[in-house]
Amino acid sequence: MTFDFLKLFNAVSAAQKVVTNDFIPAKSLDTPITESATNLDSLDVTFIFFLLGEVYGIPADKALGESWSNGSIRLLDEFIQEHKTKDPEDEFDSIETLVEELA
């Protein structure tokens, strides 16, 4: 089973927001990762990238580098798939369990 990346992105994003009502869930992989589209500011996005980097085993030299794409969720997923060293599905049985572990 492979996690749905859109659902994973939305779950991780919502969980890390202090005021979760502020988060605007993405409706498609083509949603840009911008404050106007998701209400995620640059600090939120940095933290989400850090968490996804941990979950997917992105090497430290790429973990928060400028090569991360915030153009859209699809581009972020493609970047992660290219650089990952592990799959979260091997460690977690659901997105909910993964999010609980990150908390």
Side-chain angles (χ1 to χ4, degrees), residues 19 21 24 27 34 51-52 65 75 81-82 84 87 102:
V19 181
N21 294 352
I24 302 168
K27 295 188 185 334
T34 61
L51 292 174
L52 291 173
L75 292 173
Q81 296 307 315
E82 180 180 338
K84 70 180 181 177
D87 289 306
L102 294 175

Side-chain angles (χ1 to χ4, degrees), residues 2-14 23-33 38 52 56 72-74 76-77 81 95:
T2 300
F3 289 159
D4 177 292
F5 191 76
L6 181 60
K7 288 181 183 177
L8 176 61
F9 178 86
N10 282 332
V12 169
S13 298
F23 174 62
I24 302 168
K27 295 188 185 334
S28 81
L29 288 172
D30 296 319
T31 301
I33 305 172
T38 60
L52 291 173
Y56 281 95
S72 71
I73 296 169
R74 181 180 315 280
L76 176 61
D77 184 26
Q81 296 307 315
I95 291 174

Side-chain angles (χ1 to χ4, degrees), residues 40-83:
L40 296 170
D41 63 25
S42 59
L43 184 58
D44 295 329
V45 171
T46 299
F47 191 62
I48 292 164
F49 286 4
F50 173 78
L51 292 174
L52 291 173
E54 289 289 310
V55 169
Y56 281 95
I58 304 293
D61 64 330
K62 299 219 182 277
L64 293 175
E66 293 179 18
S67 57
W68 281 77
S69 176
N70 62 352
S72 71
I73 296 169
R74 181 180 315 280
L75 292 173
L76 176 61
D77 184 26
E78 289 171 0
F79 173 84
I80 287 173
Q81 296 307 315
E82 180 180 338
H83 298 285

